[in-house]
Structure formats: C-alpha cells, structure tokens
Amino acid sequence: AGFEVAFPGLCGYSALLDEVLEGNLTTPLPAGSAFVGGINITLLQNGAPVGVLPTGANITLSFGLPEGMTGENLVFLYWDPTANGGAGDWAEKSVSVENGQVVVTIDMPGSFILVDKNASEGAQGPTSVAWVNGLYATVAQWFASLGW
C-alpha cells in the first residue's frame, strides 16, 4: 500500500501488516475526509497479540506523499473505542513531511488511515452529483442544437 513501517525498541516482537482498503472500513470517515491509504498493524509477542507497546518503544509509519499534495491537509486517523462515552470515534494523529514521505510516530498497534482533510462535501469535481448533472445538461443542449 506504499507504507514503510519501523519498529525501534521492539526486539523480540513480530508484526502482521495488512493493507486497509477504503471499501473495508466498518465506520465512515469524518465528513470532509478523503481516503488516501490505510494499514493495520498487529503486534505479537510469543505469538500473542499485544495491545500496548513497552515503555520507550514506538512505531513509525511512512507513506509516499501523493502526487499533487503538499501534506498540510493530511492526517492519520485511528479508531478510539473510548471516545463518545465508549461508543468510539475517529481520532487524529498529526503528521510531518520528510523527504517526500508523510511520517507519523505512534505508540500503539491498530488500524491507521491516511486522509486528506481538505476534501469538502459537495465539491465540484468529477465525482460530484452536481458536476455530473451539469455535464448532462451541457450534452443535452449540444444534442438539441444538432436537432437530435
């Protein structure tokens, strides 16, 4: 999926890395967020899943900066099951851009979704209903001018 993952301070552990696809998200992303990429990290010690990293350890995620993006609107989201009184919600992790890579350091395993927060609802673009309706009206007028 374009991710690089580093595990400093985690000798003796193993990890399972799985790509998270937008179509496999079980909870919709926050309004105005556009999916860029996702990864699920399962950390194992002696074959058993570990939910908390040992003191002093972290995980660094890097993702190639998508073409045409500068990084200021990119964040990583993770699911926080304790938010909203235990109902859960997306939480943000800020990123930095280093040598053409979007980088974040995390302190837990789990699913992390890179999103562009600049995607506004109803934006005029090739996927918006307004754009398709406008195109249809233009084509219909063209056909009408031809007498069809």
Coordinates of all heavy atoms in Angstrom, one line a residue, residues 1 41 65 72 78 98 101 143:
A1 N 0.8 -1.2 0.0 CA 0.0 0.0 0.0 C 0.9 1.2 0.0 O 0.3 2.3 0.1 CB -0.9 0.0 1.2
I41 N -1.8 -2.7 11.9 CA -0.6 -3.3 12.5 C -1.1 -4.1 13.7 O -1.7 -3.6 14.6 CB 0.3 -2.2 12.9 CG1 0.7 -1.3 11.7 CG2 1.5 -2.8 13.6 CD1 1.5 0.0 12.1
L65 N 4.4 10.7 -0.2 CA 3.5 11.9 -0.4 C 2.8 11.7 -1.7 O 3.5 11.7 -2.8 CB 4.2 13.2 -0.3 CG 3.5 14.5 -0.3 CD1 2.5 14.5 0.9 CD2 4.4 15.7 -0.3
E72 N 0.0 19.5 4.1 CA -0.6 20.2 5.2 C -2.0 19.8 5.5 O -2.5 20.1 6.6 CB -0.5 21.7 4.9 CG -1.4 22.2 3.8 CD -0.5 22.3 2.5 OE1 0.7 22.1 2.5 OE2 -1.1 22.7 1.5
Y78 N -7.2 7.1 13.6 CA -7.3 5.8 14.2 C -8.6 5.7 15.0 O -9.1 6.8 15.4 CB -6.1 5.5 15.1 CG -6.0 6.4 16.3 CD1 -6.5 5.9 17.5 CD2 -5.4 7.6 16.3 CE1 -6.4 6.7 18.7 CE2 -5.3 8.4 17.4 CZ -5.8 7.9 18.6 OH -5.8 8.7 19.7
E98 N 8.7 14.6 5.5 CA 10.1 14.5 5.5 C 10.6 13.8 4.2 O 10.2 12.6 4.0 CB 10.6 13.7 6.7 CG 10.1 14.4 8.0 CD 10.4 13.5 9.2 OE1 11.1 12.5 9.1 OE2 9.8 13.8 10.3
Q101 N 8.0 12.0 2.2 CA 7.2 11.0 2.9 C 6.3 11.7 4.0 O 6.8 12.6 4.7 CB 8.2 10.0 3.6 CG 9.1 9.2 2.7 CD 8.3 8.1 2.0 OE1 7.6 7.3 2.6 NE2 8.5 8.0 0.7
F143 N -26.8 18.2 -28.1 CA -27.6 17.4 -29.0 C -28.8 18.2 -29.5 O -29.2 18.0 -30.7 CB -28.1 16.1 -28.2 CG -27.1 15.0 -28.2 CD1 -26.6 14.5 -27.1 CD2 -26.7 14.4 -29.4 CE1 -25.6 13.5 -27.1 CE2 -25.7 13.4 -29.4 CZ -25.2 12.9 -28.3

